[in-house]
Amino acid sequence: LYGGTQDNSSIRTLTGGPDQWQIIWSGDGFVCLVDPQNSQNVYTESQYGVFVRSTDGGQSFNYALSGIDGADRKNWNTPVVFHPGNSSTLFLGTHRLYRSTDKAVNWSPISPALTLETNSRTYGTITCISVSPVDPQIIYCGTDMGQVWVTLNGGGNWVPVHNGLPERWITSVTADPLIKNRVYVTLSGYRYNESMPHVFVSENNGSNWSDISKGLPPIPCNKLVADPAFTGHIIVATDGGVWRSYNNGKNWEILG
């Protein structure tokens, strides 16, 4: 088991024992990925997109940023995800989206800048990425400036699809694992001193959105996971616990 801990590094346990955790990478720990086809390939990162890879099961790490422009804007929590059907391919977001097809040895951009230029190197960034398990040519990106983008052809063309969404930090974007054109977003108003819940769903790749937040407590929403076995069963992590809906957001209940 691997995890990222704020101020306390990326860590892992090889036994699952509560006193068997060890540090594998320093700094603020964020994304940890383990190749589902070969557990010798391990990836993790520290703050502002310092991304590293291991080919010996996490015993040692090397920097894995070849091809990523060092001048790019990078979020404190830089998003990195696997291709859902090919773990040799990964995607990483700065202010544009990069793809590697050789296990993070080399990266190439597959999008233009998806945010406006800012005076900060850590704002105006991609905050979340989702590749559709149904059709991996469909890729979504959310940003810290309230924008959502989609490509339907693997990065050949990008379209903004945030019309109808509130201007809030996009905390997660989730392509439905069963329905090709369905996608969810969660947003947080924390930066804007606003604590309303924001969960939206689209049935047409973001062209139109429906607010499914009713019934959630007035707190920011941070992450949505869609059950890959049951259509409409979704789970949302909020600042006030984990909630779920069995009917695609019509009703919510606390989980646990």
Side-chain angles (χ1 to χ4, degrees):
L1 302 174
Y2 294 76
T5 59
Q6 183 178 345
D7 291 332
N8 286 278
S9 310
S10 294
I11 58 175
R12 75 166 178 190
T13 173
L14 298 177
T15 67
D19 60 348
Q20 298 295 310
W21 291 87
Q22 59 183 268
I23 290 174
I24 58 170
W25 186 251
S26 60
D28 288 297
F30 285 105
V31 171
C32 294
L33 298 174
V34 182
D35 187 335
Q37 304 301 318
N38 180 358
S39 61
Q40 293 300 295
N41 298 321
V42 179
Y43 308 86
T44 191
E45 67 173 349
S46 49
Q47 65 269 28
Y48 302 120
V50 178
F51 190 65
V52 294
R53 65 190 293 266
S54 170
T55 57
D56 58 10
Q59 298 300 319
S60 62
F61 286 88
N62 293 304
Y63 289 101
L65 295 166
S66 179
I68 295 177
D69 192 328
D72 280 12
R73 299 185 296 279
K74 302 180 183 70
N75 198 272
W76 184 59
N77 181 3
T78 296
V80 187
V81 302
F82 280 128
H83 184 290
N86 180 0
S87 57
S88 294
T89 297
L90 299 91
F91 299 87
L92 182 149
T94 61
H95 64 261
R96 49 186 168 170
L97 187 65
Y98 286 83
R99 178 174 58 202
S100 170
T101 58
D102 56 8
K103 303 178 183 178
V105 175
N106 298 286
W107 297 90
S108 299
I110 62 168
S111 82
L114 299 181
T115 63
L116 298 175
E117 179 63 63
T118 67
N119 293 323
S120 169
R121 305 319 303 168
T122 61
Y123 183 63
T125 64
I126 294 172
T127 54
C128 45
I129 305 161
S130 184
V131 185
S132 170
V134 182
D135 180 358
Q137 291 293 299
I138 302 174
I139 307 171
Y140 300 93
C141 292
T143 78
D144 53 15
M145 304 179 79
Q147 301 147 319
V148 180
W149 293 80
V150 65
T151 175
L152 303 179
N153 55 9
N157 303 95
W158 289 87
V159 179
V161 290
H162 41 266
N163 187 39
L165 296 175
E167 187 180 343
R168 300 289 183 266
W169 189 293
I170 309 296
T171 50
S172 74
V173 57
T174 306
D176 191 274
L178 298 172
I179 298 177
K180 177 177 177 178
N181 298 323
R182 178 181 289 174
V183 59
Y184 303 89
V185 294
T186 60
L187 306 91
S188 171
Y190 183 82
R191 183 183 180 89
Y192 304 86
N193 296 314
E194 185 241 53
S195 60
M196 295 303 295
H198 294 296
V199 184
F200 288 79
V201 63
S202 171
E203 303 291 347
N204 51 15
N205 305 112
S207 295
N208 303 99
W209 297 95
S210 298
D211 189 343
I212 56 172
S213 310
K214 185 178 180 181
L216 290 170
I219 43 181
C221 299
N222 304 311
K223 180 74 173 180
L224 184 147
V225 175
D227 191 330
F230 299 97
T231 300
H233 182 202
I234 51 178
I235 299 107
V236 172
T238 79
D239 279 9
V242 181
W243 293 71
R244 71 175 170 193
S245 171
Y246 282 113
N247 53 14
N248 211 36
K250 292 183 176 65
N251 304 98
W252 293 95
E253 63 182 19
I254 192 75
L255 178 63

